[in-house]
Amino acid sequence: MSIKTPDEPKPATGHAVIQGYLKTLDGSPGVYRMLDPQARVLYVGKARNLKARVSNYARPGQHTPRIERMIRDTASMMFLTTRTETEALLLEQNLIKQLKPKYNVLLRDDKSFPNILVAKGHAFPQIKKHRGAKSEKGAYFGPFASAGAVNRTLNQLQKAFLLRNCTDSVFESRTRPCLLYQIKRCSGPCVGLVSAETYGAAVADAERFLSGRSTKVQEDLAAQMQAASEAMEFERAAALRDRIRALTTVQGAQGINPRGVAEADVIALHMEQGQACVQVFFIRANQNWGNKDFYPRVGADVSAAEVMEAFLGQFYDNKEPPRQVILSDEVENPDLMAEALAQKAGRRVEILVPKRGEKSELVAGALRNARESLARRMSESATQGRLLAGLAEAFGLDAPPQRIEVYDNSHIMGTNAVGAMIVAGPDGFMKNSYRKFNIRGEELTPGDDFGMMKEVLNRRFARLMKEDPDRDKGHWPDLLLIDGGAGQVSAVAQIMAEHGVEDIPMVGVAKGVDRDAGKEEFHRVGQRPFALRHNDPVLYFVQRLRDEAHRFAIGTHRAKRAKAVGANPLDDIPGVGGTRKRALLAHFGSAKAVARADLADLKAVDGISGSMAETIYNFFHEGG
């Protein structure tokens, strides 16, 4: 006889729960969190007066449908007081980025932007692309909207100013000019073909150009070209002409070059059908350095002011704000946001919503881009939705998959083996979720694809079980696609069963008998293989997924192989840095010769002490 235990009572939620917190709150500024019965964060908000803000939630009947749903789901709240409302705003945006609450406006794409760096730690400065913290000594120019925009600009600047882009170690080891000198993109400072003074003048010209003083630079080059021509130095005149053309190319590619806006981000928002696109144009030194679109997660009843404020707070959380932020829409608290950005930048930041003039024209251009970008994205999403629905029908899934994971391996005769996972969903390829796996199994037979796939999936699902056991963070797949046939599918099913995961559909994609694209066969556990019509859009979609996984796996493998080819055993010796490595290579000619050298020869190298010589000798002769 079994005894039936009564069901546990459901935890209280809603207005009454929120009302209970009012007696413990005062009028301090701070940040509040609303949590569901499982203690998952639903919403993070800031308040100038915590008690007043929470009391608004405690009164029913005056909220938008989204906020009403959020209140109904709220089982508890957490509070953190701050000294000022500005601190509360900064903390709120930081917590939103960390916790990704369900009901907040959320900026999903949060990469840093590249800059151009003129490095100043050398007598002949290097010009290069830089991303991340500005810890290296030199002059930074940016941000640029993309790595492609930086690369195009660097390419033309090399033509115009003949500055080196090689690393200091390569510079020091050169004995003759490299290819860039031959094609007239470097002045050859590594082998003394240009004086430090002349090279420094070119660096100063490049910095002037990047700082917006391009007209003066071009005027100087034009005067030099005219003088060279009059002196019958036609080859030098032609070289100067090419440099002027390179600078003109940079300016032409920038499109909009506002005269009255020296340093600003132009940010425009377009909302439609519960979706939003924010377009950002980067204006620096009166030049347009590119634009980028963002698609924050919003609800149907969110105001433009709320979206804009949330975007600004999250966008500038890890970026330095410019002197002006020019917006298409007002934010909810413009003075507070300006103060928060100024606190982050360490200087005044002006927030503008222009109604006329050049700034208004810039906003109109950004707004047009935002509208067109969102229209394209919505069209692509509709197409993607139809493809996912077709995929569900073809593979017998209960619903269109929201997260598809595709796996592939890459190696050459078992060497430099890597596994790769790509992810796709309703918005297309989710590249932030891609993962690569260095195959570690020492007992694997070279070329054992089954063994490699087993290692990759074991590591993937062991991590999922640890980090998201309740499957509520959106990290679990709805469908697995495996590059292979019935054997691979059976092996994957066995691996999944070992982890206690038997409810995720998996499909093997195998080439047909002629191994031709379009004749793929699909394999599922315990079912006969089948094929799709040759012109079926779902077939093309699966081919794209498989090809993307193959591309990512091949690229990862090539990068690993290139790193292995360029590896130097001297890099692994404790205490041997760049200077000692160069001294050893200059003395012996190669790492192999260093490995064969006896102790006396090692001690004879400049900069290598007796104890360091013993360390190097022991590394090669006693296994390190």
Side-chain angles (χ1 to χ4, degrees):
M1 178 178 175
S2 62
I3 300 174
K4 186 176 181 181
T5 58
D7 293 337
E8 292 184 12
K10 287 184 64 176
T13 60
H15 296 283
V17 169
I18 297 172
Q19 178 78 36
Y21 286 98
L22 291 176
K23 63 187 71 170
T24 64
L25 294 174
D26 58 20
S28 301
V31 172
Y32 58 93
R33 280 175 270 184
M34 308 176 85
L35 294 85
D36 70 5
Q38 287 76 44
R40 294 173 296 199
V41 179
L42 297 170
Y43 184 78
V44 175
K46 68 171 186 317
R48 179 184 304 152
N49 182 319
L50 280 171
K51 186 166 187 172
R53 176 59 57 86
V54 173
S55 67
N56 287 335
Y57 292 121
R59 291 193 291 269
Q62 55 179 357
H63 306 291
T64 64
R66 177 178 65 101
I67 299 301
E68 199 62 59
R69 288 194 305 272
M70 179 184 76
I71 292 171
R72 282 201 308 267
D73 292 342
T74 299
S76 61
M77 296 185 72
M78 295 175 63
F79 303 94
L80 184 62
T81 59
T82 58
R83 291 179 302 167
T84 65
E85 191 181 1
T86 303
E87 285 185 9
L89 173 63
L90 295 172
L91 178 58
E92 174 201 33
Q93 299 304 332
N94 190 274
L95 287 173
I96 290 171
K97 291 180 68 174
Q98 286 182 32
L99 302 173
K100 298 178 172 55
K102 178 179 178 180
Y103 288 99
N104 280 96
V105 174
L106 184 64
L107 174 60
R108 290 177 283 193
D109 187 357
D110 188 36
K111 294 185 292 187
S112 62
F113 292 96
N115 290 264
I116 287 178
L117 168 61
V118 181
K120 297 294 183 67
H122 195 280
F124 293 93
Q126 171 195 15
I127 187 168
K128 62 181 178 179
K129 177 173 63 181
H130 176 88
R131 193 191 290 269
K134 297 179 180 179
S135 55
E136 190 172 347
K137 183 181 178 183
Y140 292 85
F141 301 93
F144 286 79
S146 66
V150 172
N151 291 336
R152 287 190 295 272
T153 303
L154 283 174
N155 185 31
Q156 298 302 324
L157 291 177
Q158 281 181 281
K159 292 180 182 178
F161 301 110
L162 309 181
L163 303 183
R164 72 178 180 96
N165 67 352
C166 58
T167 63
D168 290 351
S169 58
V170 170
F171 182 93
E172 300 295 345
S173 63
R174 295 297 306 182
T175 58
R176 59 181 181 175
C178 67
L179 178 63
L180 288 175
Y181 173 79
Q182 306 296 337
I183 62 174
K184 296 182 174 55
R185 292 195 186 180
C186 181
S187 53
C190 55
V191 290
L193 296 179
V194 60
S195 68
E197 183 181 357
T198 302
Y199 188 88
V203 170
D205 282 345
E207 290 183 330
R208 279 196 295 163
F209 182 83
L210 289 167
S211 298
R213 299 191 291 277
S214 54
T215 305
K216 182 71 171 79
V217 174
Q218 287 171 298
E219 287 175 356
D220 291 347
L221 290 175
Q224 293 176 40
M225 182 180 69
Q226 182 66 27
S229 178
E230 291 173 356
M232 309 271 243
E233 297 175 2
F234 298 119
E235 189 173 342
R236 182 167 181 269
L240 289 164
R241 177 203 62 202
D242 292 342
R243 293 172 66 182
I244 294 170
R245 283 180 179 172
L247 295 181
T248 305
T249 300
V250 174
Q251 292 172 321
Q254 290 167 343
I256 305 167
N257 290 299
R259 295 181 180 179
V261 181
E263 180 185 325
D265 287 345
V266 181
I267 303 177
L269 166 67
H270 179 71
M271 299 175 65
E272 188 175 337
Q273 298 179 25
Q275 298 187 52
C277 176
V278 178
Q279 192 80 209
V280 182
F281 278 76
F282 302 98
I283 309 294
R284 299 294 184 274
N286 297 95
Q287 302 172 73
N288 173 24
W289 283 355
N291 63 294
K292 183 166 176 59
D293 47 4
F294 299 86
Y295 301 92
R297 187 188 71 194
V298 300
D301 55 357
V302 179
S303 69
E306 184 180 349
V307 174
M308 188 65 85
E309 179 167 300
F311 179 84
L312 291 184
Q314 294 171 53
F315 183 71
Y316 291 114
D317 181 62
N318 63 346
K319 302 173 186 69
E320 182 179 334
R323 297 185 183 279
Q324 286 187 335
V325 178
I326 303 174
L327 306 178
S328 63
D329 296 87
E330 296 279 1
V331 297
E332 290 185 326
N333 303 281
D335 294 339
L336 179 64
M337 181 59 68
E339 184 180 342
L341 295 182
Q343 187 173 316
K344 182 170 284 292
R347 52 169 164 72
R348 182 170 181 263
V349 175
E350 188 178 11
I351 295 179
L352 304 172
V353 184
K355 303 301 181 186
R356 62 182 69 84
E358 185 181 34
K359 294 183 178 69
S360 178
E361 292 173 7
L362 290 173
V363 168
L367 194 56
R368 183 177 62 253
N369 276 270
R371 185 167 53 249
E372 293 171 355
S373 296
L374 185 59
R376 284 194 298 270
R377 183 179 176 88
M378 292 172 68
S379 174
E380 291 167 1
S381 295
T383 302
Q384 187 81 354
R386 290 193 294 271
L387 289 172
L388 292 174
L391 193 69
E393 183 179 352
F395 292 161
L397 308 180
D398 295 334
Q402 300 301 298
R403 182 183 174 99
I404 305 169
E405 293 186 358
V406 191
Y407 292 87
D408 196 7
N409 299 325
S410 184
H411 58 90
I412 295 179
M413 300 298 288
T415 62
N416 300 308
V418 296
M421 176 191 85
I422 68 136
V423 184
D427 293 329
F429 291 118
M430 301 158 61
K431 296 195 174 183
N432 287 344
S433 298
Y434 285 17
R435 294 292 180 269
K436 56 187 177 184
F437 302 84
N438 289 313
I439 303 300
R440 301 169 182 163
E442 298 179 357
E443 299 178 0
L444 287 177
T445 303
D448 180 5
D449 285 325
F450 280 15
M452 293 179 196
M453 185 62 68
K454 182 174 182 179
E455 179 180 331
V456 167
L457 288 168
N458 271 329
R459 286 163 57 186
R460 169 64 180 155
F461 281 92
R463 183 161 187 166
L464 274 178
M465 296 291 287
K466 179 181 177 181
E467 295 183 351
D468 190 11
D470 297 327
R471 305 194 189 186
D472 57 6
K473 297 180 180 177
H475 297 162
W476 283 75
D478 303 312
L479 173 66
L480 297 184
L481 289 183
I482 310 298
D483 186 21
Q488 279 90 341
V489 170
S490 297
V492 170
Q494 182 181 347
I495 295 164
M496 304 283 282
E498 290 173 2
H499 288 281
V501 180
E502 301 185 53
D503 58 338
I504 296 179
M506 66 192 76
V507 177
V509 185
K511 294 283 180 66
V513 289
D514 300 326
R515 301 193 64 78
D516 287 339
K519 296 184 179 181
E520 285 82 358
E521 288 186 342
F522 300 98
H523 297 260
R524 292 173 292 182
V525 178
Q527 299 185 35
R528 294 173 60 86
F530 69 98
L532 296 172
R533 293 192 328 270
H534 183 70
N535 61 347
D536 193 329
V538 174
L539 176 61
Y540 298 144
F541 180 49
V542 174
Q543 288 172 350
R544 277 176 51 214
L545 294 173
R546 182 197 57 201
D547 292 346
E548 173 68 1
H550 193 57
R551 178 201 66 78
F552 185 58
I554 287 285
T556 304
H557 164 72
R558 285 175 176 163
K560 185 177 181 181
R561 193 174 72 218
K563 186 176 180 181
V565 168
N568 190 315
L570 299 180
D571 296 330
D572 297 326
I573 304 175
V576 175
T579 302
R580 284 174 174 157
K581 179 180 169 184
R582 285 193 291 272
L584 288 165
L585 291 175
H587 187 92
F588 292 103
S590 69
K592 283 186 177 180
V594 176
R596 290 194 298 265
D598 60 28
L599 189 57
D601 289 336
L602 290 169
K603 290 180 178 178
V605 179
D606 288 340
I608 303 297
S609 65
S611 60
M612 179 51 64
E614 289 181 12
T615 299
I616 297 168
Y617 183 85
N618 291 336
F619 178 84
F620 288 111
H621 293 84
E622 298 178 10

